[in-house]
mmCIF file of all heavy atoms in Angstrom:
data_model
loop_
_atom_site.group_PDB
_atom_site.id
_atom_site.type_symbol
_atom_site.label_atom_id
_atom_site.label_comp_id
_atom_site.label_asym_id
_atom_site.label_seq_id
_atom_site.Cartn_x
_atom_site.Cartn_y
_atom_site.Cartn_z
ATOM 1 N N ARG A 1 14.039 -3.971 5.237
ATOM 2 C CA ARG A 1 15.422 -3.566 4.966
ATOM 3 C C ARG A 1 15.555 -3.004 3.549
ATOM 4 O O ARG A 1 16.592 -2.484 3.165
ATOM 5 C CB ARG A 1 16.372 -4.744 5.140
ATOM 6 C CG ARG A 1 16.502 -5.244 6.577
ATOM 7 C CD ARG A 1 17.452 -6.424 6.668
ATOM 8 N NE ARG A 1 18.806 -6.033 6.276
ATOM 9 C CZ ARG A 1 19.716 -5.520 7.103
ATOM 10 N NH1 ARG A 1 19.415 -5.338 8.379
ATOM 11 N NH2 ARG A 1 20.914 -5.207 6.673
ATOM 12 N N GLU A 2 14.457 -3.158 2.771
ATOM 13 C CA GLU A 2 14.438 -2.662 1.396
ATOM 14 C C GLU A 2 13.675 -1.337 1.327
ATOM 15 O O GLU A 2 12.685 -1.147 2.035
ATOM 16 C CB GLU A 2 13.737 -3.663 0.468
ATOM 17 C CG GLU A 2 14.273 -5.065 0.516
ATOM 18 C CD GLU A 2 13.374 -6.018 -0.264
ATOM 19 O OE1 GLU A 2 12.780 -5.585 -1.288
ATOM 20 O OE2 GLU A 2 13.249 -7.189 0.147
ATOM 21 N N GLN A 3 14.118 -0.466 0.454
ATOM 22 C CA GLN A 3 13.398 0.784 0.254
ATOM 23 C C GLN A 3 12.128 0.516 -0.552
ATOM 24 O O GLN A 3 12.189 -0.106 -1.619
ATOM 25 C CB GLN A 3 14.257 1.807 -0.484
ATOM 26 C CG GLN A 3 13.566 3.151 -0.675
ATOM 27 C CD GLN A 3 14.469 4.184 -1.319
ATOM 28 O OE1 GLN A 3 15.571 3.865 -1.738
ATOM 29 N NE2 GLN A 3 14.016 5.416 -1.394
ATOM 30 N N PRO A 4 10.966 0.943 -0.088
ATOM 31 C CA PRO A 4 9.744 0.765 -0.882
ATOM 32 C C PRO A 4 9.789 1.674 -2.107
ATOM 33 O O PRO A 4 9.953 2.884 -1.978
ATOM 34 C CB PRO A 4 8.628 1.161 0.084
ATOM 35 C CG PRO A 4 9.276 2.059 1.089
ATOM 36 C CD PRO A 4 10.700 1.616 1.204
ATOM 37 N N SER A 5 9.641 1.085 -3.275
ATOM 38 C CA SER A 5 9.810 1.854 -4.515
ATOM 39 C C SER A 5 8.493 2.220 -5.178
ATOM 40 O O SER A 5 8.478 2.929 -6.182
ATOM 41 C CB SER A 5 10.661 1.048 -5.509
ATOM 42 O OG SER A 5 10.062 -0.209 -5.775
ATOM 43 N N ARG A 6 7.368 1.734 -4.640
ATOM 44 C CA ARG A 6 6.072 2.017 -5.234
ATOM 45 C C ARG A 6 5.219 2.823 -4.261
ATOM 46 O O ARG A 6 5.438 2.812 -3.056
ATOM 47 C CB ARG A 6 5.325 0.719 -5.579
ATOM 48 C CG ARG A 6 6.134 -0.303 -6.346
ATOM 49 C CD ARG A 6 6.642 0.209 -7.665
ATOM 50 N NE ARG A 6 5.572 0.700 -8.529
ATOM 51 C CZ ARG A 6 5.788 1.221 -9.740
ATOM 52 N NH1 ARG A 6 7.021 1.334 -10.204
ATOM 53 N NH2 ARG A 6 4.777 1.638 -10.459
ATOM 54 N N ARG A 7 4.239 3.526 -4.783
ATOM 55 C CA ARG A 7 3.247 4.244 -3.984
ATOM 56 C C ARG A 7 1.882 3.703 -4.409
ATOM 57 O O ARG A 7 1.585 3.626 -5.605
ATOM 58 C CB ARG A 7 3.326 5.743 -4.211
ATOM 59 C CG ARG A 7 4.652 6.343 -3.787
ATOM 60 C CD ARG A 7 4.767 7.812 -4.138
ATOM 61 N NE ARG A 7 3.828 8.619 -3.368
ATOM 62 C CZ ARG A 7 2.675 9.076 -3.821
ATOM 63 N NH1 ARG A 7 2.284 8.808 -5.049
ATOM 64 N NH2 ARG A 7 1.888 9.801 -3.053
ATOM 65 N N ALA A 8 1.059 3.332 -3.422
ATOM 66 C CA ALA A 8 -0.156 2.601 -3.778
ATOM 67 C C ALA A 8 -1.304 2.912 -2.835
ATOM 68 O O ALA A 8 -1.114 3.396 -1.719
ATOM 69 C CB ALA A 8 0.123 1.090 -3.750
ATOM 70 N N ILE A 9 -2.500 2.623 -3.312
ATOM 71 C CA ILE A 9 -3.664 2.516 -2.448
ATOM 72 C C ILE A 9 -4.013 1.032 -2.390
ATOM 73 O O ILE A 9 -3.513 0.228 -3.188
ATOM 74 C CB ILE A 9 -4.862 3.346 -2.951
ATOM 75 C CG1 ILE A 9 -5.390 2.803 -4.282
ATOM 76 C CG2 ILE A 9 -4.485 4.810 -3.073
ATOM 77 C CD1 ILE A 9 -6.727 3.390 -4.695
ATOM 78 N N LEU A 10 -4.874 0.657 -1.440
ATOM 79 C CA LEU A 10 -5.261 -0.735 -1.271
ATOM 80 C C LEU A 10 -6.697 -0.930 -1.737
ATOM 81 O O LEU A 10 -7.575 -0.155 -1.366
ATOM 82 C CB LEU A 10 -5.155 -1.147 0.189
ATOM 83 C CG LEU A 10 -3.829 -1.719 0.707
ATOM 84 C CD1 LEU A 10 -3.548 -3.042 0.035
ATOM 85 C CD2 LEU A 10 -2.699 -0.731 0.489
ATOM 86 N N ALA A 11 -6.910 -1.956 -2.532
ATOM 87 C CA ALA A 11 -8.269 -2.363 -2.910
ATOM 88 C C ALA A 11 -8.522 -3.740 -2.324
ATOM 89 O O ALA A 11 -7.617 -4.577 -2.264
ATOM 90 C CB ALA A 11 -8.421 -2.397 -4.427
ATOM 91 N N ASP A 12 -9.764 -3.976 -1.862
ATOM 92 C CA ASP A 12 -10.088 -5.301 -1.336
ATOM 93 C C ASP A 12 -10.649 -6.173 -2.456
ATOM 94 O O ASP A 12 -10.604 -5.792 -3.630
ATOM 95 C CB ASP A 12 -11.028 -5.202 -0.136
ATOM 96 C CG ASP A 12 -12.424 -4.680 -0.500
ATOM 97 O OD1 ASP A 12 -12.733 -4.562 -1.713
ATOM 98 O OD2 ASP A 12 -13.215 -4.394 0.422
ATOM 99 N N ILE A 13 -11.189 -7.342 -2.105
ATOM 100 C CA ILE A 13 -11.661 -8.254 -3.148
ATOM 101 C C ILE A 13 -13.173 -8.204 -3.319
ATOM 102 O O ILE A 13 -13.750 -9.079 -3.961
ATOM 103 C CB ILE A 13 -11.202 -9.698 -2.888
ATOM 104 C CG1 ILE A 13 -11.732 -10.228 -1.552
ATOM 105 C CG2 ILE A 13 -9.693 -9.804 -2.926
ATOM 106 C CD1 ILE A 13 -11.470 -11.717 -1.353
ATOM 107 N N THR A 14 -13.822 -7.183 -2.766
ATOM 108 C CA THR A 14 -15.239 -6.999 -3.050
ATOM 109 C C THR A 14 -15.383 -6.326 -4.407
ATOM 110 O O THR A 14 -14.450 -5.695 -4.899
ATOM 111 C CB THR A 14 -15.918 -6.114 -1.989
ATOM 112 O OG1 THR A 14 -15.377 -4.788 -2.061
ATOM 113 C CG2 THR A 14 -15.711 -6.667 -0.593
ATOM 114 N N CYS A 15 -16.543 -6.456 -4.993
ATOM 115 C CA CYS A 15 -16.777 -5.785 -6.282
ATOM 116 C C CYS A 15 -17.508 -4.473 -6.008
ATOM 117 O O CYS A 15 -18.602 -4.236 -6.496
ATOM 118 C CB CYS A 15 -17.555 -6.678 -7.236
ATOM 119 S SG CYS A 15 -19.148 -7.243 -6.619
ATOM 120 N N ASP A 16 -16.883 -3.615 -5.193
ATOM 121 C CA ASP A 16 -17.487 -2.348 -4.808
ATOM 122 C C ASP A 16 -16.424 -1.272 -4.878
ATOM 123 O O ASP A 16 -15.311 -1.449 -4.365
ATOM 124 C CB ASP A 16 -18.056 -2.452 -3.384
ATOM 125 C CG ASP A 16 -18.975 -1.285 -3.045
ATOM 126 O OD1 ASP A 16 -18.517 -0.130 -3.136
ATOM 127 O OD2 ASP A 16 -20.149 -1.526 -2.696
ATOM 128 N N SER A 17 -16.756 -0.153 -5.487
ATOM 129 C CA SER A 17 -15.776 0.924 -5.630
ATOM 130 C C SER A 17 -15.367 1.524 -4.293
ATOM 131 O O SER A 17 -14.329 2.162 -4.183
ATOM 132 C CB SER A 17 -16.337 2.030 -6.540
ATOM 133 O OG SER A 17 -17.544 2.553 -6.009
ATOM 134 N N ASP A 18 -16.194 1.324 -3.255
ATOM 135 C CA ASP A 18 -15.832 1.789 -1.919
ATOM 136 C C ASP A 18 -14.921 0.802 -1.184
ATOM 137 O O ASP A 18 -14.460 1.107 -0.080
ATOM 138 C CB ASP A 18 -17.087 2.015 -1.068
ATOM 139 C CG ASP A 18 -17.779 3.327 -1.415
ATOM 140 O OD1 ASP A 18 -17.134 4.170 -2.060
ATOM 141 O OD2 ASP A 18 -18.952 3.498 -1.051
ATOM 142 N N GLY A 19 -14.678 -0.334 -1.766
ATOM 143 C CA GLY A 19 -13.849 -1.343 -1.116
ATOM 144 C C GLY A 19 -12.376 -1.049 -1.277
ATOM 145 O O GLY A 19 -11.625 -1.797 -1.934
ATOM 146 N N LYS A 20 -11.948 0.051 -0.700
ATOM 147 C CA LYS A 20 -10.553 0.471 -0.860
ATOM 148 C C LYS A 20 -10.104 1.234 0.382
ATOM 149 O O LYS A 20 -10.901 1.689 1.197
ATOM 150 C CB LYS A 20 -10.410 1.377 -2.085
ATOM 151 C CG LYS A 20 -11.185 2.679 -1.961
ATOM 152 C CD LYS A 20 -11.058 3.543 -3.216
ATOM 153 C CE LYS A 20 -11.871 4.834 -3.060
ATOM 154 N NZ LYS A 20 -11.784 5.688 -4.258
ATOM 155 N N ILE A 21 -8.805 1.364 0.519
ATOM 156 C CA ILE A 21 -8.206 2.224 1.541
ATOM 157 C C ILE A 21 -7.295 3.195 0.806
ATOM 158 O O ILE A 21 -6.312 2.790 0.174
ATOM 159 C CB ILE A 21 -7.413 1.408 2.572
ATOM 160 C CG1 ILE A 21 -8.321 0.393 3.262
ATOM 161 C CG2 ILE A 21 -6.780 2.331 3.606
ATOM 162 C CD1 ILE A 21 -7.595 -0.513 4.240
ATOM 163 N N ASP A 22 -7.650 4.463 0.863
ATOM 164 C CA ASP A 22 -6.855 5.478 0.166
ATOM 165 C C ASP A 22 -6.532 6.656 1.081
ATOM 166 O O ASP A 22 -6.253 7.758 0.608
ATOM 167 C CB ASP A 22 -7.566 5.957 -1.102
ATOM 168 C CG ASP A 22 -8.966 6.497 -0.840
ATOM 169 O OD1 ASP A 22 -9.370 6.550 0.344
ATOM 170 O OD2 ASP A 22 -9.656 6.861 -1.816
ATOM 171 N N ARG A 23 -6.570 6.414 2.381
ATOM 172 C CA ARG A 23 -6.163 7.396 3.384
ATOM 173 C C ARG A 23 -5.284 6.683 4.401
ATOM 174 O O ARG A 23 -5.689 5.661 4.965
ATOM 175 C CB ARG A 23 -7.391 8.000 4.085
ATOM 176 C CG ARG A 23 -8.250 8.873 3.181
ATOM 177 C CD ARG A 23 -9.633 9.101 3.794
ATOM 178 N NE ARG A 23 -9.558 9.615 5.152
ATOM 179 C CZ ARG A 23 -9.414 10.908 5.463
ATOM 180 N NH1 ARG A 23 -9.336 11.810 4.501
ATOM 181 N NH2 ARG A 23 -9.358 11.297 6.721
ATOM 182 N N PHE A 24 -4.092 7.207 4.611
ATOM 183 C CA PHE A 24 -3.112 6.506 5.426
ATOM 184 C C PHE A 24 -2.524 7.443 6.472
ATOM 185 O O PHE A 24 -2.467 8.661 6.285
ATOM 186 C CB PHE A 24 -1.996 5.929 4.537
ATOM 187 C CG PHE A 24 -2.506 5.015 3.468
ATOM 188 C CD1 PHE A 24 -2.785 5.505 2.193
ATOM 189 C CD2 PHE A 24 -2.722 3.671 3.724
ATOM 190 C CE1 PHE A 24 -3.263 4.668 1.203
ATOM 191 C CE2 PHE A 24 -3.217 2.827 2.746
ATOM 192 C CZ PHE A 24 -3.485 3.321 1.475
ATOM 193 N N ALA A 25 -2.075 6.858 7.571
ATOM 194 C CA ALA A 25 -1.527 7.622 8.689
ATOM 195 C C ALA A 25 -0.261 8.357 8.264
ATOM 196 O O ALA A 25 0.584 7.824 7.550
ATOM 197 C CB ALA A 25 -1.223 6.685 9.857
ATOM 198 N N ASP A 26 -0.141 9.594 8.734
ATOM 199 C CA ASP A 26 1.030 10.409 8.469
ATOM 200 C C ASP A 26 1.174 11.406 9.611
ATOM 201 O O ASP A 26 0.170 11.862 10.171
ATOM 202 C CB ASP A 26 0.882 11.149 7.131
ATOM 203 C CG ASP A 26 2.147 11.893 6.745
ATOM 204 O OD1 ASP A 26 3.134 11.233 6.388
ATOM 205 O OD2 ASP A 26 2.136 13.141 6.807
ATOM 206 N N LEU A 27 2.390 11.753 9.955
ATOM 207 C CA LEU A 27 2.613 12.648 11.091
ATOM 208 C C LEU A 27 2.057 14.049 10.863
ATOM 209 O O LEU A 27 1.665 14.733 11.802
ATOM 210 C CB LEU A 27 4.117 12.749 11.402
ATOM 211 C CG LEU A 27 4.734 11.578 12.166
ATOM 212 C CD1 LEU A 27 6.213 11.826 12.386
ATOM 213 C CD2 LEU A 27 4.029 11.368 13.494
ATOM 214 N N HIS A 28 2.049 14.495 9.616
ATOM 215 C CA HIS A 28 1.706 15.886 9.333
ATOM 216 C C HIS A 28 0.342 16.057 8.689
ATOM 217 O O HIS A 28 -0.236 17.141 8.725
ATOM 218 C CB HIS A 28 2.785 16.517 8.439
ATOM 219 C CG HIS A 28 4.169 16.379 9.005
ATOM 220 N ND1 HIS A 28 4.562 17.018 10.155
ATOM 221 C CD2 HIS A 28 5.230 15.659 8.577
ATOM 222 C CE1 HIS A 28 5.827 16.707 10.414
ATOM 223 N NE2 HIS A 28 6.248 15.886 9.481
ATOM 224 N N ASP A 29 -0.177 15.020 8.066
ATOM 225 C CA ASP A 29 -1.469 15.120 7.391
ATOM 226 C C ASP A 29 -1.946 13.700 7.117
ATOM 227 O O ASP A 29 -1.380 12.745 7.614
ATOM 228 C CB ASP A 29 -1.310 15.919 6.090
ATOM 229 C CG ASP A 29 -2.628 16.485 5.601
ATOM 230 O OD1 ASP A 29 -3.670 16.125 6.184
ATOM 231 O OD2 ASP A 29 -2.637 17.274 4.651
ATOM 232 N N VAL A 30 -2.991 13.580 6.310
ATOM 233 C CA VAL A 30 -3.431 12.265 5.854
ATOM 234 C C VAL A 30 -2.735 11.967 4.534
ATOM 235 O O VAL A 30 -2.806 12.744 3.590
ATOM 236 C CB VAL A 30 -4.961 12.236 5.669
ATOM 237 C CG1 VAL A 30 -5.391 10.897 5.086
ATOM 238 C CG2 VAL A 30 -5.654 12.473 7.006
ATOM 239 N N ARG A 31 -2.043 10.858 4.489
ATOM 240 C CA ARG A 31 -1.314 10.485 3.294
ATOM 241 C C ARG A 31 -2.254 9.817 2.296
ATOM 242 O O ARG A 31 -3.076 8.977 2.674
ATOM 243 C CB ARG A 31 -0.183 9.531 3.695
ATOM 244 C CG ARG A 31 0.774 9.212 2.599
ATOM 245 C CD ARG A 31 2.069 8.540 3.025
ATOM 246 N NE ARG A 31 2.109 8.004 4.371
ATOM 247 C CZ ARG A 31 3.230 7.507 4.910
ATOM 248 N NH1 ARG A 31 4.344 7.512 4.238
ATOM 249 N NH2 ARG A 31 3.224 7.014 6.117
ATOM 250 N N LYS A 32 -2.146 10.172 1.020
ATOM 251 C CA LYS A 32 -3.067 9.656 0.006
ATOM 252 C C LYS A 32 -2.604 8.357 -0.635
ATOM 253 O O LYS A 32 -3.378 7.703 -1.342
ATOM 254 C CB LYS A 32 -3.300 10.721 -1.067
ATOM 255 C CG LYS A 32 -3.993 11.972 -0.532
ATOM 256 C CD LYS A 32 -4.218 12.981 -1.634
ATOM 257 C CE LYS A 32 -4.917 14.230 -1.089
ATOM 258 N NZ LYS A 32 -5.124 15.249 -2.134
ATOM 259 N N ALA A 33 -1.349 8.002 -0.454
ATOM 260 C CA ALA A 33 -0.836 6.745 -0.995
ATOM 261 C C ALA A 33 0.216 6.210 -0.032
ATOM 262 O O ALA A 33 0.844 6.959 0.711
ATOM 263 C CB ALA A 33 -0.242 6.945 -2.390
ATOM 264 N N LEU A 34 0.390 4.903 -0.045
ATOM 265 C CA LEU A 34 1.274 4.239 0.899
ATOM 266 C C LEU A 34 2.504 3.698 0.176
ATOM 267 O O LEU A 34 2.372 3.025 -0.850
ATOM 268 C CB LEU A 34 0.525 3.080 1.566
ATOM 269 C CG LEU A 34 1.244 2.321 2.671
ATOM 270 C CD1 LEU A 34 1.396 3.200 3.904
ATOM 271 C CD2 LEU A 34 0.482 1.041 3.017
ATOM 272 N N PRO A 35 3.698 3.967 0.688
ATOM 273 C CA PRO A 35 4.895 3.371 0.078
ATOM 274 C C PRO A 35 4.902 1.856 0.275
ATOM 275 O O PRO A 35 4.739 1.368 1.400
ATOM 276 C CB PRO A 35 6.050 4.028 0.863
ATOM 277 C CG PRO A 35 5.475 5.259 1.480
ATOM 278 C CD PRO A 35 4.047 4.918 1.769
ATOM 279 N N LEU A 36 5.064 1.129 -0.813
ATOM 280 C CA LEU A 36 5.091 -0.328 -0.770
ATOM 281 C C LEU A 36 6.203 -0.858 -1.665
ATOM 282 O O LEU A 36 6.783 -0.116 -2.467
ATOM 283 C CB LEU A 36 3.742 -0.915 -1.207
ATOM 284 C CG LEU A 36 2.546 -0.646 -0.276
ATOM 285 C CD1 LEU A 36 1.261 -1.162 -0.902
ATOM 286 C CD2 LEU A 36 2.763 -1.271 1.096
ATOM 287 N N HIS A 37 6.486 -2.145 -1.538
ATOM 288 C CA HIS A 37 7.545 -2.776 -2.321
ATOM 289 C C HIS A 37 6.968 -3.440 -3.565
ATOM 290 O O HIS A 37 5.790 -3.803 -3.606
ATOM 291 C CB HIS A 37 8.262 -3.834 -1.477
ATOM 292 C CG HIS A 37 8.806 -3.314 -0.188
ATOM 293 N ND1 HIS A 37 8.055 -3.281 0.979
ATOM 294 C CD2 HIS A 37 10.012 -2.773 0.123
ATOM 295 C CE1 HIS A 37 8.786 -2.763 1.957
ATOM 296 N NE2 HIS A 37 9.972 -2.440 1.468
ATOM 297 N N ASP A 38 7.828 -3.610 -4.565
ATOM 298 C CA ASP A 38 7.439 -4.392 -5.737
ATOM 299 C C ASP A 38 7.122 -5.818 -5.314
ATOM 300 O O ASP A 38 7.789 -6.378 -4.426
ATOM 301 C CB ASP A 38 8.585 -4.424 -6.754
ATOM 302 C CG ASP A 38 8.413 -3.363 -7.832
ATOM 303 O OD1 ASP A 38 7.269 -3.137 -8.250
ATOM 304 O OD2 ASP A 38 9.427 -2.767 -8.240
ATOM 305 N N LEU A 39 6.136 -6.412 -5.936
ATOM 306 C CA LEU A 39 5.853 -7.819 -5.675
ATOM 307 C C LEU A 39 6.929 -8.684 -6.325
ATOM 308 O O LEU A 39 7.469 -8.347 -7.380
ATOM 309 C CB LEU A 39 4.483 -8.207 -6.238
ATOM 310 C CG LEU A 39 3.262 -7.465 -5.681
ATOM 311 C CD1 LEU A 39 1.987 -8.115 -6.203
ATOM 312 C CD2 LEU A 39 3.263 -7.433 -4.163
ATOM 313 N N LYS A 40 7.239 -9.785 -5.657
ATOM 314 C CA LYS A 40 8.201 -10.731 -6.194
ATOM 315 C C LYS A 40 7.475 -11.998 -6.622
ATOM 316 O O LYS A 40 6.539 -12.449 -5.951
ATOM 317 C CB LYS A 40 9.255 -11.092 -5.135
ATOM 318 C CG LYS A 40 10.172 -9.936 -4.760
ATOM 319 C CD LYS A 40 11.209 -10.382 -3.729
ATOM 320 C CE LYS A 40 12.140 -9.236 -3.359
ATOM 321 N NZ LYS A 40 13.153 -9.669 -2.347
ATOM 322 N N ALA A 41 7.914 -12.562 -7.731
ATOM 323 C CA ALA A 41 7.286 -13.778 -8.238
ATOM 324 C C ALA A 41 7.428 -14.911 -7.226
ATOM 325 O O ALA A 41 8.492 -15.084 -6.615
ATOM 326 C CB ALA A 41 7.925 -14.172 -9.570
ATOM 327 N N GLU A 42 6.354 -15.647 -7.032
ATOM 328 C CA GLU A 42 6.341 -16.823 -6.165
ATOM 329 C C GLU A 42 6.665 -16.501 -4.709
ATOM 330 O O GLU A 42 7.111 -17.364 -3.963
ATOM 331 C CB GLU A 42 7.328 -17.885 -6.685
ATOM 332 C CG GLU A 42 7.125 -18.307 -8.125
ATOM 333 C CD GLU A 42 5.715 -18.815 -8.387
ATOM 334 O OE1 GLU A 42 5.169 -19.513 -7.529
ATOM 335 O OE2 GLU A 42 5.167 -18.487 -9.449
ATOM 336 N N GLU A 43 6.464 -15.259 -4.303
ATOM 337 C CA GLU A 43 6.705 -14.900 -2.903
ATOM 338 C C GLU A 43 5.551 -14.048 -2.403
ATOM 339 O O GLU A 43 5.191 -13.049 -3.032
ATOM 340 C CB GLU A 43 8.019 -14.121 -2.755
ATOM 341 C CG GLU A 43 8.335 -13.740 -1.313
ATOM 342 C CD GLU A 43 9.645 -12.981 -1.196
ATOM 343 O OE1 GLU A 43 10.652 -13.436 -1.774
ATOM 344 O OE2 GLU A 43 9.661 -11.911 -0.524
ATOM 345 N N GLU A 44 4.946 -14.444 -1.288
ATOM 346 C CA GLU A 44 3.833 -13.688 -0.730
ATOM 347 C C GLU A 44 4.323 -12.356 -0.176
ATOM 348 O O GLU A 44 5.439 -12.249 0.340
ATOM 349 C CB GLU A 44 3.152 -14.475 0.393
ATOM 350 C CG GLU A 44 2.441 -15.740 -0.061
ATOM 351 C CD GLU A 44 1.103 -15.459 -0.721
ATOM 352 O OE1 GLU A 44 0.845 -14.296 -1.093
ATOM 353 O OE2 GLU A 44 0.315 -16.411 -0.879
ATOM 354 N N TYR A 45 3.477 -11.352 -0.312
ATOM 355 C CA TYR A 45 3.756 -10.034 0.262
ATOM 356 C C TYR A 45 2.661 -9.775 1.286
ATOM 357 O O TYR A 45 1.476 -9.718 0.956
ATOM 358 C CB TYR A 45 3.744 -8.972 -0.835
ATOM 359 C CG TYR A 45 4.186 -7.599 -0.398
ATOM 360 C CD1 TYR A 45 5.363 -7.409 0.305
ATOM 361 C CD2 TYR A 45 3.426 -6.470 -0.721
ATOM 362 C CE1 TYR A 45 5.773 -6.133 0.684
ATOM 363 C CE2 TYR A 45 3.828 -5.203 -0.356
ATOM 364 C CZ TYR A 45 5.007 -5.036 0.344
ATOM 365 O OH TYR A 45 5.416 -3.777 0.715
ATOM 366 N N TYR A 46 3.071 -9.645 2.552
ATOM 367 C CA TYR A 46 2.118 -9.537 3.645
ATOM 368 C C TYR A 46 2.044 -8.111 4.176
ATOM 369 O O TYR A 46 3.073 -7.455 4.402
ATOM 370 C CB TYR A 46 2.519 -10.461 4.799
ATOM 371 C CG TYR A 46 2.423 -11.928 4.482
ATOM 372 C CD1 TYR A 46 3.571 -12.684 4.242
ATOM 373 C CD2 TYR A 46 1.188 -12.572 4.423
ATOM 374 C CE1 TYR A 46 3.493 -14.042 3.961
ATOM 375 C CE2 TYR A 46 1.095 -13.930 4.142
ATOM 376 C CZ TYR A 46 2.257 -14.662 3.906
ATOM 377 O OH TYR A 46 2.170 -15.988 3.633
ATOM 378 N N LEU A 47 0.823 -7.662 4.399
ATOM 379 C CA LEU A 47 0.578 -6.367 5.014
ATOM 380 C C LEU A 47 -0.181 -6.578 6.323
ATOM 381 O O LEU A 47 -0.890 -7.574 6.489
ATOM 382 C CB LEU A 47 -0.233 -5.455 4.091
ATOM 383 C CG LEU A 47 0.341 -5.156 2.713
ATOM 384 C CD1 LEU A 47 -0.586 -4.209 1.949
ATOM 385 C CD2 LEU A 47 1.735 -4.564 2.800
#
């Protein structure tokens, strides 16, 4: 119900530069960043 105010890529917890997701689904092309919400203190953010 909130507008996502950030644009981000995802990194995993491996210590590898390939451990990331920087290509996302889009109707017209491949999106390079994903709209996400600001993290809130003491509240989990689930994807």
Side-chain angles (χ1 to χ4, degrees):
R1 293 179 63 87
E2 306 171 33
Q3 182 176 7
S5 58
R6 311 301 304 179
R7 297 175 67 260
I9 66 168
L10 270 294
D12 67 9
I13 60 172
T14 66
C15 57
D16 193 303
S17 59
D18 282 344
K20 63 182 179 181
I21 301 177
D22 56 3
R23 292 163 53 84
F24 303 94
D26 186 71
L27 282 180
H28 306 293
D29 201 352
V30 175
R31 188 166 14 187
K32 296 181 180 179
L34 185 69
L36 293 174
H37 305 88
D38 264 322
L39 299 188
K40 293 181 179 180
E42 305 304 321
E43 181 180 312
E44 293 283 15
Y45 187 50
Y46 293 105
L47 302 181

